Amino acid sequence: VGDNGAGKSTLVKCVSGIYTIDAGTVTFDGNQVAVHTPRDAAALGIEVVYQDLALCDNLDIVQNMFLGREKVRGLVLDEPTMEQMAGDTLASLSVRTVKSLRQLVASLSGGQRQTVAIAKAVLWNSRVVILDEPTAALGVAQTAQVLELVRRLADNGLGVVLIS
């Protein structure tokens, strides 16, 4: 928690490998680690849901959840596996507000978009999920929905860092 400009988002970007730290250390599971890229953070099990959500409006839910990490079978996308994994992840989080995994993100509400972004982070067997101001642009009902999802993440044993 901190005022605007206090460095909350910058800290997240350092831990997630977007920015390189120039002093201090990052310790994960009791060991000092080097996080130079987002792939380094992902390899440790650290996933971030950024304030802008980093979702593509012109892609559907499944395509967004696998963006940059697509499953392939030979030379083609393994759509059935990706759809099954996306559905299983949303079900494990008790998400019931999405009509179809194939609906475009552009058609989703703010709370549904936040849910997809969080599910995308959880999909990769993450151990720590960092949420950068997940309720900043949401109304009261959508905020309650997102905070309930955050509680389920913690109840499932994930470490959750909530920036607010």
Side-chain angles (χ1 to χ4, degrees), residues 103-120:
Q103 71 186 102
L104 294 180
V105 164
S107 71
L108 301 176
S109 70
Q112 289 171 319
R113 288 172 190 236
Q114 190 65 257
T115 297
V116 168
I118 292 169
K120 177 180 179 178

Side-chain angles (χ1 to χ4, degrees), residues 6-81:
K8 302 178 302 290
S9 295
T10 300
L11 176 63
V12 169
K13 289 176 181 174
C14 290
V15 171
S16 65
I18 302 250
Y19 293 165
T20 302
I21 61 172
D22 51 10
T25 60
V26 177
T27 303
F28 191 81
D29 260 350
N31 301 310
Q32 187 172 327
V33 295
V35 181
H36 299 292
T37 67
R39 290 202 189 273
D40 293 340
L44 292 168
I46 301 169
E47 294 288 339
V48 180
V49 178
Y50 295 97
Q51 193 168 356
D52 65 3
L53 303 182
L55 297 175
C56 298
D57 283 347
N58 62 324
L59 299 178
D60 66 34
I61 292 170
V62 174
Q63 292 167 328
N64 266 283
M65 287 179 69
F66 284 88
L67 190 60
R69 299 179 183 181
E70 292 84 356
K71 299 283 182 194
V72 293
R73 189 179 322 141
L75 298 175
V76 297
L77 293 176
D78 187 354
E79 295 282 352
T81 298

